Amino acid sequence: MVAAGSGAEALTVAGWFGPCNYDNDTAKISAVLGDWEDRFGARVVAVGFGTLHLSVAAPPVSERDALLVAAEHFALCPDNVWQGCRPYTLAAYAERITGAHRWDFWWD
């Protein structure tokens, strides 16, 4: 437990190093997650070494919106697209997150 106003802020307060193989600035990750909390009702459910799991109350439901969010996911965690499920394209990833109430990230 840490004293933080949200799960997004808790990552920075706790000193989480999950994406250290990609970016060592957890405050940037927290800023993105804070935005997703506001826009999609995203909540941190679990974190591990190199992993982050979110529940999402209001995921994108249109193809266009999902593609825009997929680009944000890619900027945060390119491994989700490059090393996720085939085909390794942003459009395919967008299809996978359309309407998905769970977003998972991992940094290799």
Side-chain angles (χ1 to χ4, degrees):
M1 302 292 280
V2 296
S6 70
E9 292 173 12
L11 298 177
T12 300
V13 173
W16 179 62
F17 289 109
C20 67
N21 289 336
Y22 179 67
D23 192 328
N24 287 325
D25 190 349
T26 306
K28 285 190 228 176
I29 305 295
S30 290
V32 170
L33 295 180
D35 180 61
W36 291 349
E37 284 177 347
D38 294 340
R39 291 169 45 214
F40 305 108
R43 297 292 180 257
V44 174
V45 174
V47 295
F49 181 77
T51 61
L52 171 66
H53 306 280
L54 306 176
S55 68
V56 184
V61 293
S62 75
E63 182 179 327
R64 178 188 175 279
D65 289 344
L67 190 56
L68 294 171
V69 174
E72 293 179 40
H73 285 205
F74 181 76
L76 180 77
C77 182
D79 289 344
N80 272 20
V81 175
W82 286 340
Q83 298 179 34
C85 298
R86 291 179 189 214
Y88 305 121
T89 67
L90 199 59
Y93 181 80
E95 285 181 33
R96 290 191 291 275
I97 65 166
T98 301
H101 291 280
R102 175 181 169 165
W103 294 345
D104 299 303
F105 300 90
W106 64 281
W107 293 267
D108 189 15

